[in-house]
Amino acid sequence: MTRPYKIPLSVLVVIHTPALEVLLIRRADALQHWQSVTGSKDSEDEPFDETARREVHEETGIGAAIGRLSDWGMENVYDIWPRYLHRYPPGVTRNRERVFGLCVPAGTPVTLNPREHTEWRWLPWREAADACFSPSNAEAILQLPRLAG
């Protein structure tokens, strides 16, 4: 069965506690890469906030209803890594990513999807930004104190 192409519209969700501890997850296909939750829309008409809620649940087991999801009004546009271009329609080379924050209670349980991620950890926001492999993910985390209020 052929998998449908990915849609080059995605979300980045910075999951954090009221004390500004940030959840990072380690990618299964790139073990040196720690990141926040990311994922593409399932359909062109899926609202970004629904994509964010779905991806958070799929990747961490966290139901967005237990926290407060906020659209941070930020978007990143970036080149898709060459090793992932085959997942997108021919000729698509760039992705647009909408940034959200999800504030959850401290101690919120995390259940990873092992096909996508191998480990998780909570870090103070500055340490989390330093640990991210993606500069746009790190920059979003650095905005947390300003945007989390």
Side-chain angles (χ1 to χ4, degrees):
M1 183 169 139
T2 305
R3 292 183 80 177
Y5 287 123
K6 289 181 70 146
I7 298 167
L9 299 168
S10 65
V11 296
L12 168 68
V13 185
V14 177
I15 301 173
H16 63 90
T17 67
L20 305 185
E21 289 197 332
V22 174
L23 177 64
L24 291 184
I25 51 183
R26 185 189 298 245
R27 292 182 63 97
D29 64 352
L31 293 178
Q32 70 279 21
H33 292 176
W34 288 91
Q35 65 180 52
S36 295
V37 167
T38 62
S40 296
K41 286 185 168 196
D42 274 351
S43 65
E44 291 274 350
D45 61 348
E46 181 181 38
F48 278 114
D49 64 323
E50 286 183 25
T51 305
R53 286 182 182 88
R54 178 179 49 74
E55 288 292 339
V56 165
H57 189 261
E58 287 176 6
E59 294 187 9
T60 68
I62 297 172
I66 71 160
R68 187 179 75 249
L69 183 69
S70 304
D71 184 336
W72 285 1
M74 298 168 47
E75 288 191 350
N76 301 307
V77 177
Y78 58 86
D79 292 331
I80 298 166
W81 284 7
R83 75 186 224 186
Y84 296 132
L85 285 173
H86 69 279
R87 297 179 180 178
Y88 295 86
V92 172
T93 60
R94 297 183 56 80
N95 185 77
R96 182 167 57 100
E97 175 182 77
R98 187 78 177 182
V99 181
F100 289 82
L102 176 63
C103 185
V104 299
T108 295
V110 176
T111 304
L112 297 179
N113 176 340
R115 290 186 320 262
E116 294 191 42
H117 300 95
T118 61
E119 289 181 66
W120 57 269
R121 59 184 176 170
W122 292 96
L123 293 173
W125 65 276
R126 287 184 194 273
E127 287 180 41
D130 289 342
C132 283
F133 83 95
S134 162
S136 60
N137 193 165
E139 181 58 33
I141 292 170
L142 291 173
Q143 299 301 314
L144 180 59
R146 180 176 67 82
L147 297 171

